[in-house]
Amino acid sequence: MAKEQGRKLVAQNKKARHDYHIHQTVEAGMVLTGTEVKSLREGRASLADAFATVDDGEIWLRSAHIPEYSHGTWSNHTARRTRKLLLHRREIDKLTKELDAKGRTLIPLAIYFNNGYAKCEVAVATGKREWDKRQTIRERDDNREAARALAARNKRGG
């Protein structure tokens, strides 16, 4: 059987880009059990309440929900267990230095398969205030309106 090529998205934290200013992103490997990988391959996971922490020089993914594998047996995994993320020491040190700034946190943006390996995209972020969120929504609406006007103009022929 040939190995998978490319990137296959499993779960995405859509609210993260709405609720946080993203500063830096890093791709990390994940330490998973067999039933977790099978559950991810079925496309079942949620990052809604998930966050990451740095403990003793290691990065841990907490509260990510990977449901139990449907065909699993007694050896099935716990849905919200803490999972270790794999990064090089230099990357962990750089993230730790970034997190020392006030108000910074580590949030997962996506879980995906990259060439057959389960990966998690983690970002250093700062929480947005309410007016920041309104400004983001306004910019998105303005861009959408401008794109519609441009499309209508092109459709008329000039």
Side-chain angles (χ1 to χ4, degrees):
M1 190 165 105
K3 196 173 186 184
E4 292 178 40
Q5 293 297 314
R7 181 176 160 148
K8 181 187 169 224
L9 187 66
V10 176
Q12 193 172 20
N13 191 349
K14 293 179 181 174
K15 288 203 58 112
R17 295 192 189 276
H18 182 264
D19 292 342
Y20 297 94
H21 289 290
I22 307 298
H23 299 290
Q24 177 186 1
T25 61
V26 176
E27 178 182 78
M30 298 175 70
V31 177
L32 301 171
T33 63
T35 54
E36 286 174 323
V37 175
K38 289 179 179 185
S39 188
L40 284 176
R41 289 206 189 278
E42 287 182 344
R44 301 172 63 209
S46 172
L47 293 173
D49 303 325
F51 61 99
T53 58
V54 180
D55 300 328
D56 300 326
E58 297 177 334
I59 297 192
W60 297 89
L61 179 64
R62 301 183 187 279
S63 298
H65 186 262
I66 300 176
E68 290 186 355
Y69 180 54
S70 56
H71 304 297
T73 59
W74 55 270
S75 63
N76 232 337
H77 65 276
T78 313
R80 287 199 182 269
R81 77 176 186 90
T82 301
R83 295 165 180 93
K84 187 175 181 179
L85 298 180
L86 304 172
L87 288 165
H88 289 285
R89 171 65 43 213
R90 284 186 305 271
E91 292 175 313
I92 294 173
D93 292 342
K94 192 185 295 185
L95 286 177
T96 306
K97 197 175 286 187
E98 286 266 337
L99 290 172
D100 287 342
K102 187 173 185 273
R104 300 264 170 111
T105 186
L106 203 55
I107 55 167
L109 296 178
I111 293 178
Y112 53 91
F113 283 100
N114 193 1
N115 296 330
Y117 293 101
K119 302 286 184 179
C120 181
E121 186 177 25
V122 182
V124 176
T126 309
K128 284 185 181 177
R129 294 199 168 80
E130 198 60 41
W131 62 272
D132 286 333
K133 294 178 190 177
R134 286 195 300 268
Q135 184 178 356
T136 304
I137 292 169
R138 188 177 311 115
E139 285 173 6
R140 186 179 61 219
D141 290 344
D142 290 346
N143 290 341
R144 190 178 298 140
E145 207 172 294
R148 273 197 203 120
L150 195 61
R153 182 173 172 258
N154 290 339
K155 194 174 185 181
R156 284 196 312 259

